[in-house]
């Protein structure tokens, strides 16, 4: 992007400029219709209002076993652990996440491009979609750490240059999600407002934020006000199920002190009409394995 284009670029969602603001969402939530895919009108209305939807059973038992086996293989592979795309817990040295998993593994590539997944994403976003990010997340028993409240869009906008709120994440559960083993928590309805965070983005912020969220975390007073107003939904569910949630949902997860591990496949789809540009609030864009610049449609 040229200096002139950069100067003329309108930032609808400013952040990390020293002032905390709560701004109204300026983008649609649901871009498609019930005729465009497998989600019926009631489900689309729920997603519009709450910012997420639940799928009780996305993958069957045989597929689930294949995904679990591949998860175990990857986490035990020394080459994978040595790769920069593999993030380990700071203290326990347990694997926390493996990024760009749809490129590392043919098994995860298939599920990331499966019509059951891509079709729902295309319906919600009203266009072809590409994979902005993929990863598998591990939250081992006794050792799994928490992840603080945040909006993914705030980070993707600030550090990846995603212009508008036209992205959706899907979290496919590979283990049972209980209320007590660190499941995803969402403030339902919070996707309708955008929290502009204070503080500048540190250099190479991604190296720290992938282990423990820092920059882009809203202040406690604003989070408390949001929690009081919107409440908190806990995404419990059986292995094989999935949650799809809007890019601006305020969400978090607790640590896991139980014996019961939690793991999931996490895929971010962005509209091909919303491709990333230069970062809005960071010196340089994050690496390709975190923020894809291959905009080839998925599926």
């Amino acid at each position: 992007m040229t200096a002139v284009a950069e100067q003329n670029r309108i930032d609808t969602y400013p952040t990390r400029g020293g002032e905390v603001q709560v701004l109204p969402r300026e983008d649609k939530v649901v871009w498609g219709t019930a005729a465009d895919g497998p989600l019926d009108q009631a489900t689309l209305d729920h997603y519009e209002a709450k910012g997420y939807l639940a799928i009780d059973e996305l993958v069957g038992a045989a597929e689930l076993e294949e995904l679990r086996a591949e998860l175990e293989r990857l986490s035990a592979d020394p080459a994978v652990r040595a790769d920069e795309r593999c993030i380990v817990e700071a203290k326990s040295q347990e694997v926390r996440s493996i990024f760009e998993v749809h490129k590392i593994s043919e098994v995860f590539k298939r599920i990331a491009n499966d019509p059951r997944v891509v079709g729902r994403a295309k319906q919600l976003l009203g266009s072809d979609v590409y994979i902005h990010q993929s990863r598998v997340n591990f939250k081992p028993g006794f050792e799994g750490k928490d992840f603080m409240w945040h909006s993914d869009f705030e980070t993707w906008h600030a550090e990846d240059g995603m212009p508008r709120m036209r992205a959706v994440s899907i979290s496919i559960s590979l283990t049972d999600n209980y209320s007590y083993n660190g499941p995803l928590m969402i403030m339902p309805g919070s996707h309708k407002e955008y929290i502009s965070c204070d503080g500048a983005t540190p250099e190479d912020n991604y190296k720290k934020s992938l282990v423990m969220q820092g920059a882009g975390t809203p202040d406690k007073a604003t989070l408390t006000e949001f929690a009081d107003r919107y409440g908190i939904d806990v995404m419990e569910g059986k292995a094989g199920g999935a949650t799809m949630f809007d890019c601006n949902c305020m969400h978090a997860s607790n640590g896991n002190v139980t014996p019961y591990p939690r793991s999931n496949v996490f895929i971010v789809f962005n509209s091909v009409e919303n491709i990333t540009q230069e970062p809005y609030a960071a010196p340089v864009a994050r690496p390709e394995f975190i923020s894809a610049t291959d905009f080839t449609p998925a599926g």
Side-chain angles (χ1 to χ4, degrees):
M1 181 179 291
T2 66
V4 173
E6 176 70 21
Q7 187 175 23
N8 292 333
R9 183 170 63 159
I10 297 173
D11 187 357
T12 308
Y13 301 107
T15 190
R16 307 190 191 182
E19 181 182 2
V20 175
Q21 303 178 74
V22 177
L23 304 173
R25 183 190 184 110
E26 300 290 345
D27 296 305
K28 293 191 290 187
V29 177
V30 176
W31 294 75
T33 69
D36 296 332
L39 302 172
D40 61 22
Q41 191 60 51
T43 303
L44 293 177
D45 290 345
H46 182 277
Y47 186 88
E48 169 75 33
K50 302 293 187 182
Y52 72 88
L53 62 88
I55 305 165
D56 290 337
E57 184 178 346
L58 180 69
V59 298
E63 292 173 289
L64 186 59
E65 285 306 310
E66 181 183 36
L67 290 166
R68 284 171 168 168
E70 182 68 354
L71 188 74
E72 290 301 316
R73 185 190 72 79
L74 290 175
S75 63
D77 187 335
V80 172
R81 290 183 66 96
D83 194 297
E84 67 172 343
R85 292 172 289 184
C86 182
I87 312 301
V88 299
E89 296 278 11
K91 292 185 178 179
S92 69
Q93 292 301 297
E94 294 268 6
V95 174
R96 181 186 180 107
S97 300
I98 302 172
F99 281 79
E100 214 171 41
V101 72
H102 71 292
K103 293 187 177 181
I104 293 175
S105 162
E106 284 296 321
V107 173
F108 288 112
K109 178 181 179 180
R110 286 199 299 272
I111 193 64
N113 287 278
D114 192 291
R116 292 168 295 178
V117 176
V118 178
R120 286 173 165 90
K122 290 170 65 175
Q123 184 180 7
L124 290 170
L125 301 182
S127 70
D128 281 335
V129 297
Y130 72 93
I131 298 173
H132 174 70
Q133 184 188 108
S134 74
R135 65 181 186 264
V136 286
N137 291 329
F138 303 78
K139 189 164 282 192
F142 300 116
E143 301 289 348
K145 302 304 180 185
D146 57 6
F147 218 79
M148 188 55 177
W149 291 103
H150 65 287
S151 155
D152 285 331
F153 177 76
E154 191 279 339
T155 297
W156 299 339
H157 183 70
E159 300 185 40
D160 300 340
M162 184 178 289
R164 312 295 298 217
M165 296 179 183
R166 198 173 176 181
V168 62
S169 299
I170 183 167
S171 175
I172 305 170
S173 301
L174 302 185
T175 53
D176 291 343
N177 285 326
Y178 304 107
S179 62
Y180 43 77
N181 69 335
L184 175 68
M185 301 184 294
I186 293 175
M187 295 185 187
S190 62
H191 63 301
K192 297 290 185 74
E193 295 188 283
Y194 172 74
I195 301 178
S196 175
C197 300
D198 63 359
T201 306
E203 187 175 351
D204 288 339
N205 179 58
Y206 76 93
K207 293 181 179 179
K208 293 182 179 179
S209 67
L210 297 182
V211 177
M212 185 60 65
Q213 189 78 6
T217 301
D219 65 281
K220 293 179 181 178
T222 306
L223 286 173
T224 300
E225 193 273 328
F226 263 48
D228 287 344
R229 185 145 49 90
Y230 293 116
I232 297 173
D233 286 354
V234 179
M235 302 295 105
E236 298 179 72
K238 292 290 187 180
T243 300
M244 299 186 77
F245 60 101
D246 179 81
C247 59
N248 191 47
C249 278
M250 193 58 56
H251 64 287
S253 64
N254 286 323
N256 184 15
V257 297
T258 77
Y260 311 113
R262 185 178 76 87
S263 58
N264 66 294
V265 188
F266 187 84
I267 308 159
V268 180
F269 294 100
N270 189 27
S271 169
V272 295
E273 299 172 8
N274 189 46
I275 63 174
T276 54
Q277 306 171 1
E278 293 297 316
Y280 285 82
V284 295
R286 297 191 296 175
E288 176 76 18
F289 72 88
I290 304 173
S291 174
T293 56
D294 178 355
F295 309 127
T296 305

